[in-house]
mmCIF file with all atom_site columns, all heavy atoms in Angstrom:
data_model
loop_
_atom_site.group_PDB
_atom_site.id
_atom_site.type_symbol
_atom_site.label_atom_id
_atom_site.label_alt_id
_atom_site.label_comp_id
_atom_site.label_asym_id
_atom_site.label_entity_id
_atom_site.label_seq_id
_atom_site.pdbx_PDB_ins_code
_atom_site.Cartn_x
_atom_site.Cartn_y
_atom_site.Cartn_z
_atom_site.occupancy
_atom_site.B_iso_or_equiv
_atom_site.pdbx_formal_charge
_atom_site.auth_seq_id
_atom_site.auth_comp_id
_atom_site.auth_asym_id
_atom_site.auth_atom_id
_atom_site.pdbx_PDB_model_num
ATOM 1  N N   . ASN A 1 40  ? 63.768 93.628  50.398 1.00 0.00 ? 40  ASN A N   1
ATOM 2  C CA  . ASN A 1 40  ? 63.121 93.120  49.196 1.00 0.00 ? 40  ASN A CA  1
ATOM 3  C C   . ASN A 1 40  ? 63.297 94.066  48.024 1.00 0.00 ? 40  ASN A C   1
ATOM 4  O O   . ASN A 1 40  ? 63.023 93.712  46.895 1.00 0.00 ? 40  ASN A O   1
ATOM 5  C CB  . ASN A 1 40  ? 61.636 92.862  49.463 1.00 0.00 ? 40  ASN A CB  1
ATOM 6  C CG  . ASN A 1 40  ? 61.448 91.703  50.409 1.00 0.00 ? 40  ASN A CG  1
ATOM 7  O OD1 . ASN A 1 40  ? 62.254 90.778  50.428 1.00 0.00 ? 40  ASN A OD1 1
ATOM 8  N ND2 . ASN A 1 40  ? 60.398 91.755  51.200 1.00 0.00 ? 40  ASN A ND2 1
ATOM 9  N N   . ALA A 1 41  ? 63.727 95.291  48.288 1.00 0.00 ? 41  ALA A N   1
ATOM 10 C CA  . ALA A 1 41  ? 64.033 96.245  47.225 1.00 0.00 ? 41  ALA A CA  1
ATOM 11 C C   . ALA A 1 41  ? 65.399 95.866  46.666 1.00 0.00 ? 41  ALA A C   1
ATOM 12 O O   . ALA A 1 41  ? 66.423 96.231  47.217 1.00 0.00 ? 41  ALA A O   1
ATOM 13 C CB  . ALA A 1 41  ? 64.034 97.669  47.781 1.00 0.00 ? 41  ALA A CB  1
ATOM 14 N N   . ARG A 1 42  ? 65.395 95.092  45.616 1.00 0.00 ? 42  ARG A N   1
ATOM 15 C CA  . ARG A 1 42  ? 66.631 94.554  45.052 1.00 0.00 ? 42  ARG A CA  1
ATOM 16 C C   . ARG A 1 42  ? 67.124 95.435  43.908 1.00 0.00 ? 42  ARG A C   1
ATOM 17 O O   . ARG A 1 42  ? 66.342 96.003  43.166 1.00 0.00 ? 42  ARG A O   1
ATOM 18 C CB  . ARG A 1 42  ? 66.393 93.149  44.523 1.00 0.00 ? 42  ARG A CB  1
ATOM 19 C CG  . ARG A 1 42  ? 65.868 92.213  45.551 1.00 0.00 ? 42  ARG A CG  1
ATOM 20 C CD  . ARG A 1 42  ? 66.759 91.158  46.000 1.00 0.00 ? 42  ARG A CD  1
ATOM 21 N NE  . ARG A 1 42  ? 67.736 90.748  45.045 1.00 0.00 ? 42  ARG A NE  1
ATOM 22 C CZ  . ARG A 1 42  ? 68.881 90.214  45.390 1.00 0.00 ? 42  ARG A CZ  1
ATOM 23 N NH1 . ARG A 1 42  ? 69.164 90.068  46.643 1.00 0.00 ? 42  ARG A NH1 1
ATOM 24 N NH2 . ARG A 1 42  ? 69.740 89.835  44.490 1.00 0.00 ? 42  ARG A NH2 1
ATOM 25 N N   . VAL A 1 43  ? 68.405 95.501  43.777 1.00 0.00 ? 43  VAL A N   1
ATOM 26 C CA  . VAL A 1 43  ? 69.016 96.212  42.667 1.00 0.00 ? 43  VAL A CA  1
ATOM 27 C C   . VAL A 1 43  ? 69.077 95.248  41.486 1.00 0.00 ? 43  VAL A C   1
ATOM 28 O O   . VAL A 1 43  ? 69.471 94.096  41.654 1.00 0.00 ? 43  VAL A O   1
ATOM 29 C CB  . VAL A 1 43  ? 70.425 96.694  43.053 1.00 0.00 ? 43  VAL A CB  1
ATOM 30 C CG1 . VAL A 1 43  ? 71.106 97.336  41.873 1.00 0.00 ? 43  VAL A CG1 1
ATOM 31 C CG2 . VAL A 1 43  ? 70.343 97.658  44.211 1.00 0.00 ? 43  VAL A CG2 1
ATOM 32 N N   . PRO A 1 44  ? 68.687 95.685  40.312 1.00 0.00 ? 44  PRO A N   1
ATOM 33 C CA  . PRO A 1 44  ? 68.744 94.791  39.147 1.00 0.00 ? 44  PRO A CA  1
ATOM 34 C C   . PRO A 1 44  ? 70.168 94.293  38.889 1.00 0.00 ? 44  PRO A C   1
ATOM 35 O O   . PRO A 1 44  ? 71.145 94.994  39.162 1.00 0.00 ? 44  PRO A O   1
ATOM 36 C CB  . PRO A 1 44  ? 68.269 95.677  37.990 1.00 0.00 ? 44  PRO A CB  1
ATOM 37 C CG  . PRO A 1 44  ? 67.514 96.787  38.634 1.00 0.00 ? 44  PRO A CG  1
ATOM 38 C CD  . PRO A 1 44  ? 68.125 96.990  39.982 1.00 0.00 ? 44  PRO A CD  1
ATOM 39 N N   . LYS A 1 97  ? 67.276 106.568 40.974 1.00 0.00 ? 97  LYS A N   1
ATOM 40 C CA  . LYS A 1 97  ? 67.226 105.225 40.401 1.00 0.00 ? 97  LYS A CA  1
ATOM 41 C C   . LYS A 1 97  ? 65.781 104.902 40.038 1.00 0.00 ? 97  LYS A C   1
ATOM 42 O O   . LYS A 1 97  ? 64.864 105.267 40.767 1.00 0.00 ? 97  LYS A O   1
ATOM 43 C CB  . LYS A 1 97  ? 67.738 104.170 41.399 1.00 0.00 ? 97  LYS A CB  1
ATOM 44 C CG  . LYS A 1 97  ? 69.085 104.464 42.006 1.00 0.00 ? 97  LYS A CG  1
ATOM 45 C CD  . LYS A 1 97  ? 70.192 104.302 41.007 1.00 0.00 ? 97  LYS A CD  1
ATOM 46 C CE  . LYS A 1 97  ? 71.521 104.506 41.727 1.00 0.00 ? 97  LYS A CE  1
ATOM 47 N NZ  . LYS A 1 97  ? 72.621 104.702 40.889 1.00 0.00 ? 97  LYS A NZ  1
ATOM 48 N N   . PRO A 1 98  ? 65.580 104.176 38.945 1.00 0.00 ? 98  PRO A N   1
ATOM 49 C CA  . PRO A 1 98  ? 64.207 103.814 38.559 1.00 0.00 ? 98  PRO A CA  1
ATOM 50 C C   . PRO A 1 98  ? 63.700 102.559 39.259 1.00 0.00 ? 98  PRO A C   1
ATOM 51 O O   . PRO A 1 98  ? 62.775 101.928 38.802 1.00 0.00 ? 98  PRO A O   1
ATOM 52 C CB  . PRO A 1 98  ? 64.342 103.591 37.050 1.00 0.00 ? 98  PRO A CB  1
ATOM 53 C CG  . PRO A 1 98  ? 65.740 103.137 36.867 1.00 0.00 ? 98  PRO A CG  1
ATOM 54 C CD  . PRO A 1 98  ? 66.543 103.873 37.909 1.00 0.00 ? 98  PRO A CD  1
ATOM 55 N N   . TRP A 1 99  ? 64.336 102.171 40.369 1.00 0.00 ? 99  TRP A N   1
ATOM 56 C CA  . TRP A 1 99  ? 63.896 100.995 41.126 1.00 0.00 ? 99  TRP A CA  1
ATOM 57 C C   . TRP A 1 99  ? 64.027 101.308 42.611 1.00 0.00 ? 99  TRP A C   1
ATOM 58 O O   . TRP A 1 99  ? 64.771 102.199 42.987 1.00 0.00 ? 99  TRP A O   1
ATOM 59 C CB  . TRP A 1 99  ? 64.740 99.768  40.760 1.00 0.00 ? 99  TRP A CB  1
ATOM 60 C CG  . TRP A 1 99  ? 66.202 99.966  40.964 1.00 0.00 ? 99  TRP A CG  1
ATOM 61 C CD1 . TRP A 1 99  ? 66.902 99.874  42.128 1.00 0.00 ? 99  TRP A CD1 1
ATOM 62 C CD2 . TRP A 1 99  ? 67.159 100.332 39.979 1.00 0.00 ? 99  TRP A CD2 1
ATOM 63 N NE1 . TRP A 1 99  ? 68.225 100.152 41.933 1.00 0.00 ? 99  TRP A NE1 1
ATOM 64 C CE2 . TRP A 1 99  ? 68.417 100.431 40.607 1.00 0.00 ? 99  TRP A CE2 1
ATOM 65 C CE3 . TRP A 1 99  ? 67.103 100.575 38.612 1.00 0.00 ? 99  TRP A CE3 1
ATOM 66 C CZ2 . TRP A 1 99  ? 69.579 100.764 39.929 1.00 0.00 ? 99  TRP A CZ2 1
ATOM 67 C CZ3 . TRP A 1 99  ? 68.264 100.907 37.944 1.00 0.00 ? 99  TRP A CZ3 1
ATOM 68 C CH2 . TRP A 1 99  ? 69.480 101.002 38.602 1.00 0.00 ? 99  TRP A CH2 1
ATOM 69 N N   . PRO A 1 100 ? 63.319 100.571 43.449 1.00 0.00 ? 100 PRO A N   1
ATOM 70 C CA  . PRO A 1 100 ? 63.474 100.805 44.894 1.00 0.00 ? 100 PRO A CA  1
ATOM 71 C C   . PRO A 1 100 ? 64.894 100.463 45.338 1.00 0.00 ? 100 PRO A C   1
ATOM 72 O O   . PRO A 1 100 ? 65.419 99.416  44.986 1.00 0.00 ? 100 PRO A O   1
ATOM 73 C CB  . PRO A 1 100 ? 62.470 99.848  45.536 1.00 0.00 ? 100 PRO A CB  1
ATOM 74 C CG  . PRO A 1 100 ? 61.658 99.300  44.440 1.00 0.00 ? 100 PRO A CG  1
ATOM 75 C CD  . PRO A 1 100 ? 62.352 99.556  43.154 1.00 0.00 ? 100 PRO A CD  1
ATOM 76 N N   . ILE A 1 101 ? 65.502 101.348 46.070 1.00 0.00 ? 101 ILE A N   1
ATOM 77 C CA  . ILE A 1 101 ? 66.892 101.166 46.475 1.00 0.00 ? 101 ILE A CA  1
ATOM 78 C C   . ILE A 1 101 ? 66.936 100.517 47.859 1.00 0.00 ? 101 ILE A C   1
ATOM 79 O O   . ILE A 1 101 ? 66.326 101.025 48.795 1.00 0.00 ? 101 ILE A O   1
ATOM 80 C CB  . ILE A 1 101 ? 67.623 102.515 46.508 1.00 0.00 ? 101 ILE A CB  1
ATOM 81 C CG1 . ILE A 1 101 ? 67.558 103.186 45.139 1.00 0.00 ? 101 ILE A CG1 1
ATOM 82 C CG2 . ILE A 1 101 ? 69.066 102.341 46.930 1.00 0.00 ? 101 ILE A CG2 1
ATOM 83 C CD1 . ILE A 1 101 ? 68.068 104.598 45.119 1.00 0.00 ? 101 ILE A CD1 1
ATOM 84 N N   . PRO A 1 102 ? 67.668 99.393  47.990 1.00 0.00 ? 102 PRO A N   1
ATOM 85 C CA  . PRO A 1 102 ? 67.817 98.810  49.329 1.00 0.00 ? 102 PRO A CA  1
ATOM 86 C C   . PRO A 1 102 ? 68.757 99.669  50.168 1.00 0.00 ? 102 PRO A C   1
ATOM 87 O O   . PRO A 1 102 ? 69.428 100.554 49.636 1.00 0.00 ? 102 PRO A O   1
ATOM 88 C CB  . PRO A 1 102 ? 68.437 97.439  49.044 1.00 0.00 ? 102 PRO A CB  1
ATOM 89 C CG  . PRO A 1 102 ? 69.160 97.614  47.763 1.00 0.00 ? 102 PRO A CG  1
ATOM 90 C CD  . PRO A 1 102 ? 68.381 98.637  46.976 1.00 0.00 ? 102 PRO A CD  1
#
Side-chain angles (χ1 to χ4, degrees):
N40 291 329
R42 303 249 332 154
V43 176
K97 308 289 185 195
W99 57 81
I101 302 171

